[in-house]
Amino acid sequence: MNLLLQSRTLIPGAILTVIFAGAAIVSMFWVPYDTTVLDIANKIKSPSFAHPFGTDQFGRDILSMIMVGARTSIAVALVAVGIGMVAGVPLGLAAAARKGGLLDEFIMRMNDLVFAFPSLLIAVMITAVFGASALNAIIAIGIFNIPVFARLTRGAALSLWSRDYIMAARVAGKGSARISLEHILPNVSNLLIVQGTIQFSLGILAEAGLSYVGLGAQPPLASWGRMLADSQTMISFAPHLALFPGLAILLTVLGLNLLGDGLRDIFDPKLRRART
Amino acid sequence: MSLLKIKNLSLAIHGVPILKDISMEVEPGRVLGVIGESGSGKSITAFSVMQLLPNGAESSGNIALVGQDILSLSEVELCGIRGREVGMVFQEPMTALNPLKTIGAQVAETILIHENVSRADAKRRAAEALRRAELPQDQFPLSRYPHELSGGQRQRVVIAMAIALRPKLLIADEPTTALDVTTQAQILLLLKRLVVEDGMGLMLISHDLAVVADLADDLVIMREGEVVESGPSDALFRNMQHPYSRALLKASGHVPERVGQTQDAALLRVSKVVREYVSHSHGLWGATSHFRAVSDVSFEIRRGESLGLVGESGCGKSTLTRAILGLEDVQGGEILFDGQPVFTHHHANKDVRRRMQVVFQDPYGSFNPRWKVSKLITEPYHLLEDPPRGVEQDAAIAEALESVGLNSDDQHKYIHEFSGGQRQRIAIARALIIKPDLIILDEAVSALDVSVRAQVLDLLADLSDRFGLTYLFISHDLSVVRSITERVLVMKAGEIVEEGPTGDVFDRPKHQYTKQLVAAAPALPADVQVA
Amino acid sequence: MLRYFFKRLLSLALSLLAASVVIFLALEVVPGDPAAYMLGLNAQEDTLNALREQLGLNGTILERYLSWAGGLLTGDFGISYTYRTPVADMIGDRLWVSLPLALYALTLSTLIAFPAGIWAASRRGSYVDAGVMGVTQLGVAIPNFWFAMLMVLVFAINLRWFSAGGFAGWDEGFWASIKSLTLPAIALALPQASILTRVMRSSLLDTLGEDFIRTARAKGLSKGQAMWRHALRNALIPVLTIMGLQFSFLLAGAIIIENVFYLPGLGRLVFQAISARDLIVVESVVMLLVFAVIMVNFSVDLAYALVDPRLRGRR
């Protein structure tokens, strides 16, 4: 517990993250108002006691929409990070185990290639071919995450491979696959968790951007990016429509970044000293 | 008047006391050796003189440089003194220079920062300083970058920077620790010459008594932030008073007692081994060049023997070790362990591998930080087809730990809970657990403080007697090799240049290179009595 | 130096080749015949064939790739399925909005990040440092298109300093165009400037902890002199890497920001093309952006060699 308090960013980050993750979970069972039901009589209401964040142009409750939108954002970003880790980490481990070999060269060149396609361009291509959907957003962000994790894992693994304890494991007759699993992976896991939270937050931003330009979640699925897109034409007379979804994105991403920084502080005392 | 006079200096960093009431003096034209093990505060003392201290450092007492009180000077005044009145040389030459600037620019900077001279003038004087540090312009022009120089050459550049303005005091903080023995001897000689030529005072900091013994006129011995003993070195070496200094001196020349029961049968036979590396130095399609790391090496180790292998960095020691352990194939020759090849059909021979183990140099990098000691030391069980389990395994762990002088309860701890010396014991326990015949000790005591080193050497001697172990003892440190081996091989540029009983080789070296090595090795004065 | 250059050049060519194959294949799998789409349902078979010939749609997949890639090299991107005009012309017009926007944003981001990062690093642990870090923490977390909307609300709708959207056109004069690109460039630059500030700061702090800084201080350099003369250039190496990566985010991010401000750039072109299923335009724009990203990374590699003598090789 003492350790947790040593980082100034961990607790606020964790609180923000828990609030939005909580909202997403609660929305699966209960929301203040059904977001699929239109209530034109109550359209574009400013925040009030009945609707704390107001209502949109179809009379839907903004708070409820944000809760459901949290579910979309978190699901998309989480699965995309999952794709990046599941594909990227083994690639990085394999590249490091065969440093300088053909496999390493191939993996790193593929990485460079994917890096040349920002996730938005991947989404543009996928949408052009298959049409827009939340699934395409997941795939686009996920593909972009693969080289991020592959590079990180490879870099960290390479510095571990030169350690004497890896040599000791080889002297004990262990092969490179077993060494990667037993020695390398556990020792890079902290780094992966920290990078995971950062990619998670970037995923939320990317999903919002894609949905905003219509390449991500499609109606009737509520999404923060779409809410902002819908609010744009009304911003001059109903700024609250744009305010709350934007704040939701900002605070979620902020929370995850603070959490990531905090975790890094705790995992790596050396870095903490360098940063303060 | 003293050049540098430190009086009752105490220093704390963030409230933690580092130096406690220390005093010492440096006279012009004389060398003060400051000796201590890790944590003694010797480096912080040097940085106190420069006032280059970490944040949160608070000092009290008095540091007088030519009568001027350093502690009362402003930062601007200190900048005027650093580099002009006091020069400093550091331990790690590989990182001490800015990789993006030429050596000429870096040496000239010392001059430009302190004197109002033209750039051309500064360059001319930089060339002069480099020449004095024995880097002549025809071979090492000012336009060289640090990465184009070896470690020893870079250290000369650092020295040139420090002496460019002919400072009154030079501080050298472990200036040769990162260097090979022969390079070390040259650098020490250079420092000595500069002291004599310039009438400079030199504060030479080292963990190694023998390095300082040759050079120092006066000595200070430090431990845990305190000066335990000081005085003119001749007198001090002859008549040490403090128990710590005596223990230190004793440990430096320590020879473990060993019964030794070498048999005639060869355990490991290395014959005409060649290991080449191919480097694509000219691009993907260019010519490939072959680098022979090990060239036509033959020797054998007899059962129960302790064989030394000495050589400087890059001589092929490590490559040879990997080949013997069966981690890499060789291009020529064969390595037989008890008659069986160590490497067969692209794989290490497991029957042989389980009879060899290794202990590495770095006590901090040798263990997976996430494993408990019990898991760490049982890793070699992977080599056994039917490793002991359950109670049997617990007993084996306890036995291994106890045989290296640790407690069997230590198996539940993580590695970060142990000191460097204890970690090396755990590394030995890991090697012992499958009861090997041969243990390769790859610079196994080089990273340890002298007193800890002496204990580990004793342990190794004791273990070999008890278990009939055979050692291949690889080291750059001649005195250690001398103390624990019966026979020695001298390796240079991939070849074995000399071989024979350790005492004979070191006392009457035949090969030119061995002669150089022996001459370069720092030694305590011959007449010092180790009581 | 020459060897390094050719090695990078080779890698550049291979990347471009691989990227073009990926893009070509991705759009190959789309079902449907563009010629039939362009001519409608009642088209005759021979007219269709003639159009296919004209569009380069006949022949094997390899032939089609080669004719497409060959066209790219000569600046011929093909003909838009929807507008029947050369794609190169359509892109050319839009490029004069998107490219200045990205460069404007990059300039802003660099002009903010370098001083802020250096300032924070040199006052490490102070309120200045904490303030800079706090602001950048927000800047990294804010969605730039939302920030753009807020700026429109404040500076265009309420204060009326800028117009809410649209592009003046370079014919209307340099400053008018720059003015209409200012809010979009700020929105684009904010997150990138925040990231770059943080990278600059941490890279500089890392370098300040290096041994050679201590050597410089022992020569008599003050903290500031050691930082400017020795730390800064060394700290620039990771900063360059991030700047290279950022350029691709700026180009891609411009696609979204152009939508907020109704700028007639490549981004709007892509979305119109997607909704009109004008795939050759999508293909061309994506290829162009990927080309830009690869070229920028190539330049960054060359810049490394200028900064770092170790890459230039031994003489």
Side-chain angles (χ1 to χ4, degrees):
Chain A
M1 195 59 210
N2 243 344
L3 198 64
L4 294 184
L5 292 174
Q6 280 181 16
S7 164
R8 282 172 300 179
T9 61
L10 188 81
I11 302 288
I15 290 173
L16 282 172
T17 308
V18 166
I19 288 176
F20 283 95
I25 293 168
V26 169
S27 78
M28 289 189 232
F29 310 105
W30 175 83
V31 282
Y33 296 88
D34 189 344
T35 56
T36 56
V37 176
L38 310 186
D39 179 9
I40 303 296
N42 273 323
K43 67 174 187 183
I44 316 188
K45 285 271 178 341
S46 293
S48 66
F49 189 72
H51 298 283
F53 294 171
T55 62
D56 72 359
Q57 70 275 26
F58 299 118
R60 291 174 296 186
D61 178 48
I62 303 271
L63 175 62
S64 308
M65 298 270 289
I66 283 179
M67 287 172 69
V68 178
R71 201 161 74 198
T72 312
S73 282
I74 289 175
V76 168
L78 207 57
V79 178
V81 170
I83 291 174
M85 277 196 177
V86 167
V89 173
L91 285 175
L93 288 176
R98 295 274 176 275
K99 181 188 185 267
L102 274 179
L103 182 71
D104 181 27
E105 191 67 16
F106 178 73
I107 290 172
M108 290 321 285
R109 290 291 81 79
M110 288 303 288
N111 268 343
D112 288 347
L113 185 62
V114 178
F115 258 134
F117 291 82
S119 54
L120 195 68
L121 286 187
I122 300 176
V124 163
M125 278 170 54
I126 294 177
T127 311
V129 178
F130 301 107
S133 71
L135 182 66
N136 290 344
I138 292 178
I139 295 172
I141 303 167
I143 289 178
F144 191 71
N145 274 336
I146 295 173
V148 172
F149 283 103
R151 258 178 205 224
L152 180 79
T153 309
R154 176 178 179 272
L158 276 184
S159 73
L160 292 179
W161 269 100
S162 64
R163 299 282 172 90
D164 279 345
Y165 66 81
I166 301 298
M167 192 68 158
R170 291 180 64 199
V171 170
K174 292 182 175 172
S176 52
R178 179 180 278 269
I179 289 175
S180 291
L181 279 180
E182 284 187 1
H183 287 289
I184 309 277
L185 188 58
N187 280 298
V188 300
S189 60
N190 285 348
L191 211 57
L192 292 176
I193 292 169
V194 170
Q195 192 66 36
T197 53
I198 291 167
Q199 292 308 118
F200 191 12
S201 77
L202 289 177
I204 284 177
L205 276 178
E207 189 277 333
L210 290 176
S211 297
Y212 170 77
V213 290
L215 298 181
Q218 298 298 308
L221 191 57
S223 133
W224 294 341
R226 281 213 68 78
M227 292 170 75
L228 285 174
D230 293 341
S231 75
Q232 198 176 344
T233 50
M234 292 169 278
I235 193 164
S236 55
F237 57 92
H240 69 275
L241 293 184
L243 188 66
F244 294 111
L247 275 180
I249 301 171
L250 172 64
L251 292 176
T252 311
V253 173
L254 185 66
L256 283 167
N257 285 342
L258 292 176
L259 182 65
D261 281 4
L263 288 174
R264 178 168 22 213
D265 288 351
I266 285 176
F267 290 150
D268 194 345
K270 187 168 68 76
L271 262 177
R272 174 172 59 229
R273 242 172 283 130
R275 286 154 43 86
T276 44
Chain B
M1 186 178 67
S2 288
L3 180 57
L4 174 73
K5 187 166 185 170
I6 299 178
K7 216 175 152 206
N8 305 116
L9 177 69
S10 295
L11 182 139
I13 296 176
H14 292 298
V16 182
I18 305 289
L19 298 179
K20 297 157 206 160
D21 199 27
I22 63 163
S23 301
M24 60 183 76
E25 286 179 37
V26 184
E27 307 287 337
R30 283 175 75 90
V31 179
L32 172 72
V34 181
I35 293 168
E37 298 185 304
S38 45
S40 63
K42 57 194 192 302
S43 291
I44 283 286
T45 308
F47 285 110
S48 292
V49 177
M50 297 296 274
Q51 283 295 295
L52 289 174
L53 293 166
N55 287 337
E58 277 177 62
S59 11
S60 63
N62 196 287
I63 303 174
L65 183 72
V66 215
Q68 210 174 6
D69 183 13
I70 295 274
L71 292 179
S72 67
L73 294 180
S74 70
E75 179 60 27
V76 177
E77 288 168 316
L78 285 169
C79 282
I81 287 178
R82 294 184 199 125
R84 184 209 292 271
E85 313 268 323
V86 191
M88 187 154 180
V89 179
F90 308 92
Q91 172 169 358
E92 194 38 80
M94 300 312 274
T95 52
L97 294 169
N98 184 341
L100 306 185
K101 291 193 166 200
T102 62
I103 58 171
Q106 296 191 57
V107 178
E109 189 174 35
T110 309
I111 300 156
L112 285 167
I113 202 108
H114 290 289
E115 290 182 13
N116 193 12
V117 293
S118 72
R119 231 159 243 285
D121 231 22
K123 277 198 165 175
R124 198 184 43 70
R125 284 171 61 189
E128 168 65 14
L130 283 167
R131 194 195 53 72
R132 289 210 302 140
E134 292 161 10
L135 291 176
Q137 282 302 291
D138 48 350
Q139 290 168 55
F140 304 96
L142 296 176
S143 58
R144 284 288 177 96
Y145 283 97
H147 71 271
E148 299 171 304
L149 305 178
S150 70
Q153 290 161 350
R154 290 187 206 193
Q155 195 64 303
R156 288 171 191 276
V157 175
V158 177
I159 292 172
M161 269 162 39
I163 57 146
L165 292 170
R166 299 185 187 254
K168 298 189 184 76
L169 175 67
L170 183 65
I171 301 175
D173 183 11
E174 303 264 10
T176 58
T177 308
L179 304 172
D180 276 328
V181 199
T182 44
T183 319
Q184 159 167 295
Q186 293 160 4
I187 295 283
L188 290 175
L189 209 62
L190 168 67
L191 290 174
K192 180 88 190 165
R193 205 197 77 217
L194 291 169
V195 167
V196 172
E197 276 178 14
D198 293 8
M200 200 166 51
L202 173 64
M203 183 171 171
L204 179 66
I205 294 161
S206 181
H207 67 283
D208 189 339
L209 263 180
V211 163
V212 177
D214 270 354
L215 220 58
D217 302 302
D218 305 288
L219 276 183
V220 167
I221 297 175
M222 291 184 70
R223 183 179 68 160
E224 289 167 10
E226 289 178 84
V227 172
V228 296
E229 194 154 4
S230 62
S233 43
D234 290 349
L236 197 74
F237 268 118
R238 264 164 209 81
N239 189 16
M240 281 199 179
Q241 295 301 321
H242 196 279
Y244 176 75
S245 342
R246 295 162 77 109
L248 196 65
L249 184 62
K250 202 175 159 194
S252 301
H254 183 73
V255 178
E257 276 176 43
R258 215 166 150 258
V259 183
Q261 44 219 331
T262 306
Q263 300 166 10
D264 278 341
L267 181 63
L268 181 84
R269 195 189 300 269
V270 174
S271 43
K272 295 186 182 308
V273 162
V274 174
R275 178 77 178 91
E276 278 184 343
Y277 291 102
V278 178
S279 59
H280 300 270
S281 57
H282 302 287
L284 222 46
W285 294 287
T288 54
S289 57
H290 296 263
F291 170 66
R292 255 186 192 213
V294 173
S295 164
D296 211 19
V297 163
S298 303
F299 66 89
E300 56 180 48
I301 309 178
R302 280 167 236 146
R303 203 177 274 279
E305 186 181 34
S306 177
L307 177 71
L309 175 62
V310 296
E312 297 182 305
S313 51
C315 73
K317 289 178 298 191
S318 316
T319 309
L320 187 60
T321 313
R322 282 199 297 273
I324 292 173
L325 287 168
L327 297 177
E328 285 175 9
D329 201 0
V330 294
Q331 272 86 39
E334 60 174 359
I335 303 173
L336 296 178
F337 184 93
D338 213 3
Q340 294 183 63
V342 297
F343 202 89
T344 46
H345 311 298
H346 305 289
H347 283 288
N349 183 347
K350 271 206 166 182
D351 291 334
V352 168
R353 184 87 78 82
R354 69 180 57 125
R355 297 173 60 189
M356 288 191 273
Q357 279 296 306
V358 62
V359 176
F360 298 106
Q361 169 174 9
D362 179 11
Y364 294 91
S366 295
F367 303 96
N368 186 337
R370 295 176 160 261
W371 284 9
K372 286 188 174 161
V373 168
S374 55
K375 195 170 175 187
L376 287 170
I377 65 170
T378 51
E379 189 167 36
Y381 276 164
H382 187 73
L383 290 166
L384 305 183
E385 263 137 40
D386 183 26
R389 287 172 212 288
V391 187
E392 218 183 322
Q393 179 169 348
D394 290 346
I397 294 170
E399 190 198 338
L401 286 174
E402 277 158 15
S403 61
V404 297
L406 293 169
N407 196 313
S408 67
D409 288 341
D410 288 336
Q411 60 172 300
H412 305 296
K413 294 184 185 164
Y414 287 97
I415 198 68
H416 66 85
E417 298 173 58
F418 296 92
S419 70
Q422 288 172 322
R423 288 177 196 213
Q424 252 0 30
R425 288 172 187 267
I426 293 170
I428 295 167
R430 172 168 64 188
L432 283 177
I433 200 152
I434 53 168
K435 306 211 177 336
D437 297 314
L438 173 69
I439 296 183
I440 299 180
L441 300 155
D442 187 358
E443 303 274 6
V445 297
S446 302
L448 304 177
D449 277 328
V450 274
S451 48
V452 181
R453 173 191 300 179
Q455 292 162 11
V456 172
L457 286 174
D458 279 342
L459 171 69
L460 287 171
D462 174 49
L463 289 172
S464 92
D465 289 344
R466 269 163 60 199
F467 300 114
L469 291 170
T470 308
Y471 291 143
L472 175 58
F473 199 98
I474 301 170
S475 182
H476 69 282
D477 187 332
L478 302 195
S479 69
V480 171
V481 171
R482 184 166 197 154
S483 71
I484 194 154
T485 67
E486 287 111 47
R487 231 160 32 95
V488 67
L489 312 170
V490 181
M491 197 166 177
K492 185 189 185 228
E495 291 177 46
I496 305 245
V497 297
E498 189 161 353
E499 170 176 6
T502 309
D504 288 357
V505 170
F506 288 171
D507 290 337
R508 289 173 296 279
K510 295 193 185 66
H511 192 274
Q512 187 56 36
Y513 177 68
T514 317
K515 286 181 187 164
Q516 268 179 31
L517 266 187
V518 172
L524 290 169
D527 54 344
V528 167
Q529 298 294 313
V530 180
Chain C
M1 178 69 195
L2 217 56
R3 210 174 77 210
Y4 177 80
F5 178 77
F6 281 118
K7 224 173 139 183
R8 304 276 42 139
L9 201 65
L10 181 72
S11 135
L12 166 87
L14 288 177
S15 305
L16 284 177
L17 182 71
S20 68
V21 169
V22 168
I23 293 169
F24 179 77
L25 289 180
L27 296 183
E28 265 302 304
V29 301
V30 181
D33 178 359
Y37 175 80
M38 285 164 78
L39 293 176
L41 290 172
N42 306 324
Q44 298 294 313
E45 190 55 34
D46 50 338
T47 7
L48 273 174
N49 251 333
L51 183 61
R52 282 201 199 105
E53 191 63 38
Q54 190 196 344
L55 295 176
L57 293 173
N58 283 333
T60 64
I61 192 164
L62 185 65
E63 283 168 359
R64 273 175 286 148
Y65 170 74
L66 288 178
S67 91
W68 175 70
L72 289 184
L73 289 177
T74 56
D76 173 13
F77 289 74
I79 291 166
S80 158
Y81 300 158
T82 314
Y83 298 102
R84 302 269 189 118
T85 51
V87 177
D89 295 350
M90 296 169 72
I91 289 180
D93 294 343
R94 310 301 187 101
L95 206 53
W96 280 106
V97 178
S98 294
L99 198 60
L101 176 59
L103 288 176
Y104 192 177
L106 187 68
T107 313
L108 279 181
S109 152
T110 313
L111 286 181
I112 296 167
F114 275 53
I118 294 169
W119 196 30
S122 62
R123 303 275 181 90
R124 170 180 180 178
S126 70
Y127 287 108
V128 167
D129 189 17
V132 169
M133 291 303 278
V135 170
T136 55
Q137 192 69 265
L138 279 177
V140 172
I142 206 164
N144 60 5
F145 60 92
W146 181 61
F147 182 66
M149 287 165 63
L150 294 184
M151 283 201 298
V152 168
L153 182 65
V154 174
F155 296 109
I157 296 173
N158 289 334
L159 295 173
R160 296 184 180 280
W161 291 355
F162 294 91
S163 67
F167 181 65
W170 293 103
D171 304 336
E172 298 293 309
F174 180 74
W175 291 112
S177 303
I178 288 293
K179 195 177 171 192
S180 48
L181 289 181
T182 296
L183 288 187
I186 293 175
L188 260 182
L190 178 81
Q192 306 303 339
S194 304
I195 294 170
L196 205 57
T197 304
R198 294 174 82 89
V199 173
M200 183 83 222
R201 172 184 177 274
S202 67
S203 173
L204 199 51
L205 286 182
D206 283 352
T207 317
L208 284 172
E210 296 273 352
D211 282 355
F212 63 79
I213 296 298
R214 191 183 55 188
T215 311
R217 296 273 284 133
K219 278 195 250 181
L221 272 72
S222 69
K223 270 188 182 167
Q225 284 171 323
M227 186 173 87
W228 288 106
R229 295 188 192 188
H230 291 275
L232 205 56
R233 225 171 101 191
N234 280 281
L236 223 53
I237 293 173
V239 174
L240 273 177
T241 313
I242 300 296
M243 282 177 74
L245 278 178
Q246 285 200 329
F247 192 73
S248 65
F249 284 105
L250 285 175
L251 281 173
I255 294 182
I256 292 181
I257 290 296
E258 282 168 10
N259 263 285
V260 182
F261 292 95
Y262 306 104
L263 291 174
L266 291 175
R268 298 221 29 101
L269 181 66
V270 160
F271 289 114
Q272 286 158 7
I274 287 178
S275 47
R277 309 227 18 97
D278 199 348
L279 293 185
I280 190 157
V281 173
V282 178
E283 196 175 37
S284 304
V285 174
V286 171
M287 187 64 221
L288 188 73
L289 292 180
V290 169
F291 172 75
V293 171
I294 293 175
M295 282 311 286
V296 167
N297 287 336
F298 175 66
S299 329
V300 168
D301 280 344
L302 292 191
Y304 280 152
L306 287 182
V307 175
D308 192 341
R310 284 164 293 188
L311 290 176
R312 279 176 241 153
R314 284 161 189 272
R315 271 156 301 170

